[in-house]
Amino acid sequence: QVQLVESGGGLVQAGGSLKLSCVASATIFSINSMGWYRQTPGNQRDVVATITSGGTTTYADSVKGRFTVSGDNAKKTVSLQMNSLKLEDTGVYYCHINGRPRYYSGYFDYWGQGTQVTVSS
């Protein structure tokens, strides 16, 4: 069974930094893309940043220039460096991987359990 384990959330003052990390279990054999999503109460889960297996990154407009996503396909890890944090960055951050499990032919979406990021004034 594929599992994603996140770490690094917490409470930080506006203007500060946090780094989120996520590691996938070894049962993922191949990765197509990885990324981070954010969800706030009453809202849908929105994309924050993604990175493909080839290293192409995309960012939500609200985080461009402040957040950096990085991934390591071999280690099955994805990280999100968040700088200059704002109050509106508060939410639950979910790690996402689109990958192919060992002994399977198709790619599937997998999610972490979510980690809370709270930015205070």
Side-chain angles (χ1 to χ4, degrees), residues 3 7 9 23 44 46 56 65 72-73 88 120:
Q3 290 184 323
S7 61
V23 57
Q44 65 181 16
D46 292 326
T56 300
D72 187 321
N73 292 339
E88 52 264 40
S120 64

Side-chain angles (χ1 to χ4, degrees), residues 8-115:
L11 175 66
V12 64
Q13 286 191 324
S17 299
L18 277 177
K19 184 175 183 178
L20 306 181
S21 297
C22 174
V23 57
S25 59
T27 48
I28 285 188
F29 182 73
S30 177
I31 293 174
N32 182 40
S33 65
M34 300 182 283
W36 293 90
Y37 289 67
R38 177 172 65 210
Q39 189 169 24
T40 54
N43 294 309
Q44 65 181 16
R45 193 174 296 183
D46 292 326
V47 62
V48 174
T50 64
I51 183 168
T52 68
S53 59
T56 300
T57 57
T58 61
Y59 295 92
D61 288 341
S62 62
V63 307
K64 285 180 180 177
R66 300 187 298 120
F67 290 11
T68 302
V69 62
S70 59
D72 187 321
N73 292 339
K75 295 182 179 179
K76 302 178 178 62
T77 59
V78 59
S79 298
L80 184 68
Q81 177 65 46
M82 304 185 292
N83 298 328
S84 302
L85 282 160
K86 302 177 180 180
L87 298 180
E88 52 264 40
D89 294 322
T90 294
V92 178
Y93 284 71
Y94 293 89
C95 167
H96 167 263
I97 289 180
N98 180 264
R100 180 169 69 85
R102 194 176 296 274
Y103 309 124
Y104 284 74
S105 60
Y107 283 77
F108 301 89
D109 291 313
Y110 300 97
W111 296 91
Q113 78 281 6
T115 185

